[in-house]
Amino acid sequence: MTASTPTSPAPAPQRSRLSLYLDLIRFDRPAGWLVLVWPTLVALWVASNGFPGWHLLVVFVLGTVLMRSAGCTINDIADRDFDKHVKRTTKRPITSGQVSVKEAAMVGLVLTLISFALVLSTRWEAVAWSVPAVLFTILYPFTKRFFAMPQAFLGIAFNFGIVIAFAAVTGEVNATAWTLWLANMFLVLAYDTEYAMVDRDDDLKIGMKTSAITLGRFDVVGVMGFFVLCWALIAWVLAPYQLGWPFWLGMAVAAAQIGWHYTLIRHRTREGCFVAFSKSHWIGAVIFAGVALGFALK
């Protein structure tokens, strides 16, 4: 009786380029673009005093998704060496060598050009604001090397949708727009600090700067403070629009969610903090629902 010859493990199946590109832009994780689209739609509705029309709706929803996808490619190119040392990111397409830097750059460029073409169908003021939006999107990943609160820089990049929405509708960016911009800045600081809390141990090892590290033991207090400031600013700036019970119901549900976030992050577990981040888009969703229904019923 002969001994059986050991067999080598079967090679991993070859993935299509499309599958890899979809991974690159986080296609399977819509939470990343949903946190962007809801505040942008709130701005669009407020600037338009109600439904903005199908053209602007399509432009801003599609443009938000495309620019977030382009931002993912830029982020992964910039962080390709750091991602090798973070548990959650070791298998990303660029870091794992499945997609080259040149390929990823081309994907990001194509997505950015399509997004820019969409903005060109609106007012020139919106087009002008889209230029710094792209620049901040490109610069953000590099701020994590030296800036103590890179989430603030991310907030600037993410908030251009609000500014561009007002510019596209009215041709100007007024005080209401900037207040909504500031409110969303605090929202970004809140949910992206939750995200940073997931990777804090890895980031400390590789020398990455994040708000979770900068805030230290005050991280939970900081996140909750950011959420409260966001909620208060939105309530203050939109109260004069008299959107009635739908708006205040949406704000009440948002407040309840903020309380739930505290229960998720108070023990600082990776699992709890990641769930908090991944569900944070629902805060923007209920606020937008209240705004949209409030305008519809006026």
Side-chain angles (χ1 to χ4, degrees):
M1 187 173 180
T2 59
S4 59
T5 304
T7 58
S8 58
Q14 190 72 23
R15 297 179 61 191
S16 69
R17 305 318 292 169
L18 177 60
S19 173
L20 290 169
Y21 294 159
L22 291 177
D23 270 4
L24 179 66
I25 65 172
R26 321 281 200 274
F27 183 77
D28 60 336
R29 280 172 275 176
W33 62 263
L34 286 170
V35 293
L36 298 178
V37 79
W38 299 127
T40 301
L41 291 182
V42 167
L44 200 57
W45 252 252
V46 172
S48 305
N49 281 304
F51 180 63
W54 289 107
H55 169 239
L56 286 179
L57 181 60
V58 170
V59 165
F60 279 90
V61 171
L62 189 54
T64 298
V65 175
L66 290 172
M67 278 309 299
R68 183 261 178 173
S69 299
C72 289
T73 67
I74 296 165
N75 183 79
D76 285 6
I77 290 171
D79 288 351
R80 62 189 182 278
D81 294 327
F82 291 103
D83 284 346
K84 297 175 183 177
H85 306 285
V86 179
K87 296 175 184 177
R88 188 177 45 79
T89 58
T90 54
K91 295 183 180 179
R92 284 180 174 173
I94 300 175
T95 303
S96 61
Q98 299 174 88
V99 173
S100 70
V101 171
K102 183 177 179 180
E103 274 184 289
M106 287 303 298
V107 171
L109 178 61
V110 169
L111 294 174
T112 301
L113 290 175
I114 296 172
S115 181
F116 188 67
L118 289 169
V119 179
L120 286 174
S121 68
T122 65
R123 305 171 72 122
W124 72 265
E125 292 91 346
V127 176
W129 277 107
S130 70
V131 175
V134 172
L135 294 177
F136 273 84
T137 300
I138 293 171
L139 290 174
Y140 159 68
F142 300 98
T143 63
K144 290 180 280 187
R145 276 78 164 162
F146 62 88
F147 191 46
M149 295 281 282
Q151 282 70 22
F153 203 92
L154 179 68
I156 296 173
F158 276 8
N159 287 353
F160 272 104
I162 294 170
V163 173
I164 296 171
F166 269 84
V169 174
T170 67
E172 64 178 5
V173 184
N174 61 19
T176 298
W178 287 116
T179 305
L180 289 173
W181 182 95
L182 183 59
N184 200 54
M185 170 65 81
F186 287 123
L187 183 61
V188 174
L189 284 169
Y191 67 65
D192 211 58
T193 298
E194 292 176 331
Y195 196 36
M197 289 167 72
V198 177
D199 295 332
R200 173 160 37 201
D201 293 342
D202 294 322
D203 289 335
L204 282 168
K205 291 176 184 176
I206 61 179
M208 193 76 80
K209 306 288 187 182
T210 73
S211 56
I213 293 171
T214 300
L215 291 170
R217 62 191 180 94
F218 298 106
D219 52 358
V220 175
V221 174
V223 168
M224 299 313 298
F226 295 145
F227 274 134
V228 170
L229 286 169
C230 169
W231 191 97
L233 282 170
I234 291 174
W236 175 69
V237 77
L238 295 187
Y241 286 82
Q242 299 182 335
L243 300 176
W245 66 264
F247 171 67
W248 292 111
L249 177 60
M251 293 296 287
V253 176
Q257 288 188 62
I258 291 171
W260 177 57
H261 274 246
Y262 173 72
T263 68
L264 290 171
I265 69 171
R266 62 180 175 174
H267 297 303
R268 300 177 174 85
T269 63
R270 283 180 181 260
E271 296 77 16
C273 293
F274 187 77
V275 169
F277 164 76
S278 64
K279 303 300 181 185
S280 59
H281 63 90
W282 286 106
I283 295 174
V286 296
I287 293 174
F288 168 67
V291 169
L293 186 58
F295 274 115
L297 296 180
K298 278 187 75 173

